[in-house]
Amino acid sequence: MLNIILFGPPGAGKGTQAKKLLDQYQIKHLSTGDMLRAEKASGSELGQRVAAIMAAGDLVSDDIVNEIVHSQVNAHREANGFIFDGYPRTVAQAHKLEEILAGIGEKLAGLVLIVVPDQELIDRIVKRGQDSGRADDTAQVAQNRLQAYRDKTEAVANYFADKGMTHTVEGVGTIEEVFVRLRTAIDALN
Ligand code: ADP
């Protein structure tokens, strides 16, 4: 299996690149953001519980996302690997992910961090909000999401950097340019 964490602040382009990467490597894309939005859209009890947290740009509890990822990984043991997108977002989630993968006899190949300047991130998010209507894509909520990233999530990149597993990619450029940089970083993992 090829198991990669696609990492970066909100608006870095993780979702866009993940779609291209899963075509390239034929691995399963697990986006906690997409899965939580699907829960919300389904109107499930869980969806109702997380809706307000997501709308405010705060992090959903570790227990909830860990449970979602655990069940998805177990359900796709036959996959060639996974791209984790939007997860782990806390060091506790990082520990859990290592445990989940160990549970199926697997491990992470590495974490690829997409770096984009803050102002560009906010501009992209606001534009995406105008185009797609995603409720948390406003300038104010984006600031809060960026703050949550700095406060809790960035530490995950440091956690894996200490293990020599974090690889940084420049996220400004065309989608194709960033994609080539990501492929180069990922191919170097094997
Ligand atoms: P972004 O565009 O900021 O990367 P996502 O689509 O990954 O956003 O996630 C949207 C929202 O879903 C987050 O702001 C957060 O409320 C919630 N969320 C997604 N993944 C996680 C996670 N691993 N831990 C906690 N909350 C999460």
Side-chain angles (χ1 to χ4, degrees):
M1 274 192 175
L2 174 65
N3 300 309
I4 308 158
I5 300 172
L6 189 59
F7 200 80
K14 299 185 296 287
T16 305
Q17 295 294 338
K19 284 188 193 72
K20 294 173 71 69
L21 290 168
L22 67 95
D23 281 346
Q24 173 81 20
Y25 295 99
Q26 300 292 311
I27 56 185
K28 174 108 186 118
H29 177 207
L30 289 188
S31 159
T32 44
D34 285 353
M35 292 187 277
L36 291 168
R37 280 186 287 278
E39 283 292 336
K40 186 184 146 195
S42 78
S44 69
E45 196 249 330
L46 175 62
Q48 290 174 28
R49 257 196 294 154
V50 299
I53 300 168
M54 293 173 71
D58 294 330
L59 295 188
V60 171
S61 79
D62 288 343
D63 285 349
I64 290 176
V65 288
N66 286 337
E67 176 55 38
I68 294 178
V69 172
H70 195 176
S71 67
Q72 285 294 313
V73 167
N74 282 341
H76 297 281
R77 288 159 181 262
E78 81 299 340
N80 292 327
F82 295 98
I83 299 179
F84 297 97
D85 165 6
Y87 180 91
R89 255 181 164 88
T90 63
V91 174
Q93 291 178 20
H95 288 295
K96 185 68 189 183
L97 176 59
E98 291 180 311
E99 239 178 79
I100 292 169
L101 288 173
I104 60 163
E106 288 293 334
K107 57 183 173 47
L108 284 165
L111 176 152
V112 190
L113 165 63
I114 307 177
V115 179
V116 176
D118 281 9
Q119 190 52 53
E120 166 92 12
L121 294 171
I122 303 284
D123 291 349
R124 287 185 189 182
I125 290 171
V126 170
K127 179 167 189 311
R128 182 171 68 185
Q130 285 160 357
D131 294 345
S132 75
R134 199 175 120 174
D136 58 347
D137 279 348
T138 62
Q140 205 186 344
V141 177
Q143 286 289 358
N144 197 35
R145 285 157 63 199
L146 208 48
Q147 197 58 46
Y149 176 80
R150 301 279 175 237
D151 292 346
K152 297 180 182 139
T153 305
E154 216 162 31
V156 173
N158 301 333
Y159 170 76
F160 287 107
D162 287 344
K163 299 175 180 238
M165 291 170 71
T166 291
H167 307 271
T168 300
V169 158
E170 172 62 53
V172 180
T174 65
I175 290 173
E176 202 53 39
E177 282 163 355
V178 177
F179 180 54
V180 170
R181 291 176 202 144
L182 284 170
R183 266 176 23 210
T184 306
I186 291 168
D187 289 343
L189 297 176
N190 295 310

